[in-house]
Amino acid sequence: MDVRWNFTYLMLKHLVPYKNVFSVFINSHYGSQLLTTNHWYFAEKLLKFLELFYDSTIVLSGVYYPTSSLVLHHILEIASHLHACEKEQNLRAIVYPMKLKFRKYWQDIPLLYSYAFILDPRAKMRGFFNVLQLLDEYTGSEYSTYYANVKTELYKLFNKYESKLGAARSQRIAQPSHHTGKKKQAWKRIIGRGSGVVGPSPLPATSSSSTSTICELSAYLDSDNVTSYEDDFDLLLWWCDHKLTFPILSIMARDIISVPVSTVSSKSCFSLTGRIIEERQRRLSPEIVEMLTCIKDWELGEKRKQHVVDNQEPENSFQNLYLDEDEPADGAPGT
């Protein structure tokens, strides 16, 4: 099916390694003209072309890490990929309708994903501006008005958090970051474009509360970006470490970044429930259903190596606390 890109990729992925077997079978039964080397050449080229779409689907469907801050990265990669492949003669007829469909869904970028990208300390407004410039080159869309709108709406949203959670403000204490960033290859295209344009100033403040609000958000946007781009960067942990520096902004960042991009996980829960509670097991208690669901999730997490604990010291310290032992009576020494 021409709209099922990922299924086509999976079909070709399992087919291409056995091309010699299929070629011998087809040629011996139906003639050598039915399946030629040119067919396999195009199949391998199409497999490589569709790989990016499948990888993006898998990454953005994750449930054990934040995904909203990754959307603009994948939108940019896909737009660049379509723009480059559009020039190839063998793929031109395929890429053109795909590009139209891509622009239909992603030309208007939701504000949430822009907020999440800006709240990544490696990107901020400079990286966001560079991403929009690149998208303009690849898709021909104009994003200057959208850039100004995102910045204005971001300050408005932060004002709402300030008015609601202003009492949680504490003295800002600068803390060094101990974490690095995303893959260098993914950021090189964005950061390598220079400083970019800061964009229009936010709306002027009308009260002392708004002034303090703008100061905290502006302090984050005006500070230097995190410049290390390793694979083990934990975005939520970075904001947790800087919650004293940005008490209100860290709460807003947590709420925005933790929003999942895909509904695959929630739909899978309904499917999983139907496989557990069926005609032969319809008398299960709620506790047993919860246990079976958790065990299934832990097995998947173990398979994907997403629950591996590198530092065992906290676990060992906890075990040495003897929390289950009774306290000694009348000052007698414990065992």
Side-chain angles (χ1 to χ4, degrees), residues 10-246:
L10 292 175
M11 178 191 68
L12 292 174
K13 181 181 179 181
H14 291 84
L15 173 66
V16 168
Y18 301 98
K19 63 179 181 179
N20 294 330
V21 177
F22 276 94
S23 297
V24 171
F25 178 82
I26 294 296
N27 293 338
S28 61
H29 288 76
Y30 303 100
S32 60
Q33 299 300 322
L34 187 61
L35 190 61
T36 65
T37 56
N38 290 332
H39 293 124
W40 287 116
Y41 170 79
F42 183 76
E44 293 175 347
K45 201 172 189 64
L46 188 60
L47 173 66
K48 185 177 180 180
F49 168 71
L50 294 175
E51 185 177 6
L52 177 64
F53 303 100
Y54 179 79
D55 292 341
S56 296
T57 302
I58 296 300
V59 171
L60 296 179
S61 300
V63 296
Y64 295 107
Y65 52 87
T67 54
S68 58
S69 59
L70 304 177
V71 172
L72 259 66
H73 287 280
H74 289 273
I75 289 178
L76 179 61
E77 291 296 325
I78 292 174
S80 173
H81 187 56
L82 292 174
H83 180 72
C85 294
E86 193 177 19
K87 302 175 183 179
E88 297 190 20
Q89 183 177 1
N90 293 329
L91 297 175
R92 189 176 303 164
I94 300 174
V95 172
Y96 181 74
M98 293 177 68
K99 194 172 183 178
L100 293 178
K101 184 174 288 290
F102 177 76
R103 292 186 60 181
K104 173 183 177 182
Y105 288 103
W106 294 109
Q107 183 175 3
D108 298 330
I109 305 172
L111 287 175
L112 174 68
Y113 302 142
S114 298
Y115 294 161
F117 183 82
I118 294 171
L119 291 174
D120 189 324
R122 299 159 291 176
K124 300 184 180 180
M125 296 304 300
R126 187 187 72 173
F128 180 61
F129 177 84
N130 292 339
V131 166
L132 295 183
Q133 274 194 327
L134 289 168
L135 287 176
D136 188 4
E137 295 178 8
Y138 297 145
T139 64
S141 303
E142 176 61 40
Y143 287 102
S144 58
T145 304
Y146 178 73
Y147 175 86
N149 182 53
V150 168
K151 190 169 185 179
T152 301
E153 294 298 326
L154 182 64
Y155 274 90
K156 288 181 180 180
L157 178 62
F158 185 61
N159 286 336
K160 294 180 180 179
Y161 271 82
E162 172 67 20
S163 61
K164 195 79 172 179
L165 305 171
R169 178 182 297 277
S170 60
Q171 184 178 2
R172 295 207 299 254
I173 303 175
Q175 293 182 343
S177 173
H178 300 285
H179 307 284
T180 53
K182 198 173 179 285
K183 292 182 180 179
K184 292 183 179 180
Q185 294 81 358
W187 288 91
K188 183 178 180 181
R189 189 200 310 269
I190 300 172
I191 304 302
R193 294 185 64 86
S195 59
V197 178
V198 176
S201 301
L203 297 176
T206 57
S207 63
S208 59
S209 174
S210 298
T211 301
S212 61
T213 299
I214 293 178
C215 287
E216 181 176 332
L217 181 54
S218 298
Y220 166 75
L221 296 177
D222 295 337
S223 60
D224 294 335
N225 293 23
V226 176
T227 56
S228 299
Y229 308 103
E230 303 300 330
D231 299 340
D232 57 352
F233 184 77
D234 192 327
L235 188 55
L236 290 176
L237 186 58
W238 188 94
W239 279 107
C240 182
D241 290 343
H242 292 76
K243 62 184 177 182
L244 295 180
T245 308
F246 308 107

